[in-house]
Amino acid sequence: DPTSRTTISAAARFEHYDDASGDTLIGKVTGRQELTDWLSVRGAVSTGFRAPALAQQLYASTTGQFRTLNGQLNLLFIKTLPVESPAARALGSQPLQPETSTNLSAGFVLQPLDGLTITIDAYQIRVDDRITITSTLTGPAVTAILVGAGLSPDISAQYFTNAIDTRTRGVDVVATYRHGLFDVGTMNWNIGYNYNKTTITG
């Protein structure tokens, strides 16, 4: 706290994984400045890291879905393959890598009345190498690959992969009003609004 109206904070974390995730160093810096007794501004910059979940790496299942093809109802079997299974590798899967993110936020804190606090924050979150599941892979070429890996010719396949980069932008507004409730306690009223939009950037 360099002044009575200024607060700055920072944090860092190092993680080591024994698998393909390897080592990572992430951090966060935040600041808050009181401009008046009722108005403050604040902001934050941080990086993030998420190692692939065990379910994303090892999950396997087979489901049946009815789909209409050429006007006829057909039963389609879809197999979710573990990422490093021979069949998934034959279809082009790669070992999952960690998702990384960069986060920015800035906003205001308003206290126009005694007991009333309003916060308004805008934010952006960029996620690189986001893990998603592929579309259903099907067709003669896929069937040949699956049969070559020892699977039934009657199934289609999918697997998890680092498929996309995304950017989420949004605004968050929260109002809180506190007042006494007779002589028995305190009443808190809260109302919030959030809007965000995520786009695929790569």
Side-chain angles (χ1 to χ4, degrees):
D1 295 303
T3 73
S4 61
R5 290 180 175 268
T6 305
T7 298
I8 301 172
S9 64
R13 185 172 81 226
F14 175 80
E15 295 184 11
H16 169 73
Y17 291 82
D18 290 332
D19 58 15
S21 298
D23 299 332
T24 181
L25 177 65
I26 59 177
K28 181 177 184 178
V29 178
T30 66
R32 186 178 190 273
Q33 178 68 46
E34 293 184 25
L35 301 179
T36 69
D37 291 338
W38 59 272
L39 174 62
S40 301
V41 294
R42 62 185 180 182
V45 179
S46 65
T47 56
F49 174 92
R50 193 182 75 85
L54 285 176
Q56 292 172 326
Q57 298 184 74
L58 303 176
Y59 180 74
S61 70
T62 302
T63 60
Q65 296 182 10
F66 286 100
R67 295 188 180 182
T68 302
L69 300 173
N70 299 322
Q72 292 187 345
L73 193 63
N74 293 276
L75 178 60
L76 178 66
F77 291 100
I78 303 173
K79 187 171 186 66
T80 300
L81 302 167
V83 172
E84 297 194 32
S85 66
R89 288 201 302 266
L91 290 171
S93 73
Q94 300 289 329
L96 293 178
Q97 300 299 313
E99 298 176 342
T100 58
S101 64
T102 304
N103 314 287
L104 308 172
S105 68
F108 302 91
V109 180
L110 306 170
Q111 294 176 300
L113 302 173
D114 186 31
L116 175 63
T117 300
I118 302 171
T119 61
I120 305 171
D121 293 285
Y123 57 89
Q124 174 178 282
I125 305 168
R126 296 185 64 97
V127 180
D128 294 328
D129 298 322
R130 193 166 182 165
I131 298 173
T132 62
I133 199 163
T134 66
S135 58
T136 303
L137 307 176
T138 187
V142 172
T143 299
I145 292 173
L146 295 176
V147 170
L151 298 178
S152 168
D154 298 323
I155 66 170
S156 298
Q158 57 188 13
Y159 55 86
F160 286 95
T161 182
N162 295 96
I164 57 176
D165 301 330
T166 63
R167 181 188 65 217
T168 300
R169 288 177 174 169
V171 62
D172 192 65
V173 181
V174 178
T176 302
Y177 182 62
R178 299 169 298 279
H179 62 86
L181 185 64
F182 306 109
D183 294 326
V184 298
T186 302
M187 176 70 76
N188 287 354
W189 300 87
N190 297 283
I191 186 171
Y193 169 80
N194 178 270
Y195 171 82
N196 63 67
K197 181 180 181 180
T198 298
T199 57
I200 297 175
T201 58

